[in-house]
Amino acid sequence: MDWMEEALEKCLNKIERNITEIGEYFPQVAYEGRYNQEDKTFWTAGFWPGLLWLLYRESGNTAARDLAVKLEEDLDEILDGFVHLHHDVGFMWLPSAVMDYRLTGSEQARIRGLKAASHLAGRFNQAGRFIRAWTDEVNPHSKGWALIDCMMNLPLLFWASRETDDPRFYHIACAHTDTVLNHFIREDFTVPHIVSFDPYTGKKIGVISGQAMNEDSAWSRGQAWAIYGLAVAYRETGKKECLDAAKNMANYFLSHLPSDQVPYWDFRSKPELQWVKDSSAAACTASGLMELSSVLEDETEKKFYQDQGKAILKGLYDHYWDTSEHSQAMLLGGTVNCLKKRHINVPIIYGDFFFTEGLLKAKGKKGIF
Ligand code: GLY
């Protein structure tokens, strides 16, 4: 068995074991091999259901399907409650409800996906042509804030547009993508985490460091969200600017990787913080590179990005796989927020998700986003 088959088998076995180990919880990070129970309003709530749906798709495991459906139903309180919703509804309902609908045809799941997409579309600020990230409850000064992470929420809009044969969702996704191309991407193909606009006039005010080292640095997970999201934007729109940006950002990411294939939490981290890595940024980028490879036509380029994606997956498997016998987690070395000292060099559920998704794509399977 080659390393990729072996890694995938271990991922699927871990998901299967976690059906009873994690159960009806919404995990985010693991300590000593056990995942925590996160608040279900948090943006990471879709990843455990997403892992369960990947297992169901591979093996037909009905316990995985039934648990994923229960988790999706648990999230109705948040979806229908409205007040806790934010732009990350794509991260939450694509791997849960939309994946359920794709695999089982559930009408209720389809409606949940469309409700989430309608919420995301409703966050669009016409003056600045961006999707507002957060609510006043999170930060009352964030009315004009757009985050690079939102590139990964846009696939929900592309899905909704196709599903309803209604281009409204598509137009909003395209407008937000244009804003990212025009106002986020720097000349060296890095991005800031947050760009602030005047919510009334739409004029760009400036950059906010967010989870990055500073306003001019390059938070590695932000780069990952952009690479994957832009590859999807190209897949959905065929716009060459998205493809060029995805390739250029991928090239920056790849040419700044340490030898173990996992970036520092910020590519421009100060040296004393370079012990902090982020395996989740590597995993997301690997899956994004597989996506990028799949939309390219030139065989040499296609192979290049696929090989680079596989090299990152191998680096993760060789150096970051959690080998402790009873651990619920797959990958060590993920970092949620370095400067705020929140969960540094630990397993994170979205690292595990994108690692599994990336391995499946390397075998020719489709991703969720
Ligand atoms: N979407 C927030 C993060 O990547 O930490």
Side-chain angles (χ1 to χ4, degrees), residues 36 44 72 81 119 139 158 160 176 196 248 265 307 331 350 354:
N36 73 335
T44 52
E72 182 187 319
H119 176 78
N139 184 335
F158 290 125
H176 183 89
S196 166
N248 286 325
W265 67 284
D307 287 349
L331 296 181
Y350 43 87
F354 286 110

Side-chain angles (χ1 to χ4, degrees), residues 110-158:
R110 176 177 181 270
I111 290 169
R112 289 182 181 112
L114 293 176
K115 276 188 190 172
S118 300
H119 176 78
L120 188 57
R123 304 190 71 82
F124 185 65
N125 181 311
Q126 171 68 30
R129 292 167 53 83
F130 65 88
I131 291 173
R132 180 185 178 183
W134 297 330
T135 56
D136 280 4
E137 285 70 29
V138 175
N139 184 335
H141 306 294
S142 66
K143 288 186 177 62
W145 291 11
L147 270 60
I148 194 61
D149 321 32
C150 196
M151 284 308 300
M152 291 297 285
N153 291 317
L154 301 186
L156 180 66
L157 296 180
F158 290 125

Side-chain angles (χ1 to χ4, degrees), residues 4 16 26 46 49 61 71 83 106 115 135-136 138 156-157 192 200 222 224 228 237 260-261 276 299 304 321 337 339:
M4 221 174 350
E16 186 166 9
F26 294 95
N61 184 315
L71 291 162
V83 289
S106 158
K115 276 188 190 172
T135 56
D136 280 4
V138 175
L156 180 66
L157 296 180
Y200 298 98
Y228 194 155
T237 66
D260 66 0
Q261 301 288 316
V276 179
E299 285 303 324
F304 173 75
W321 180 260
N337 189 325
L339 291 187

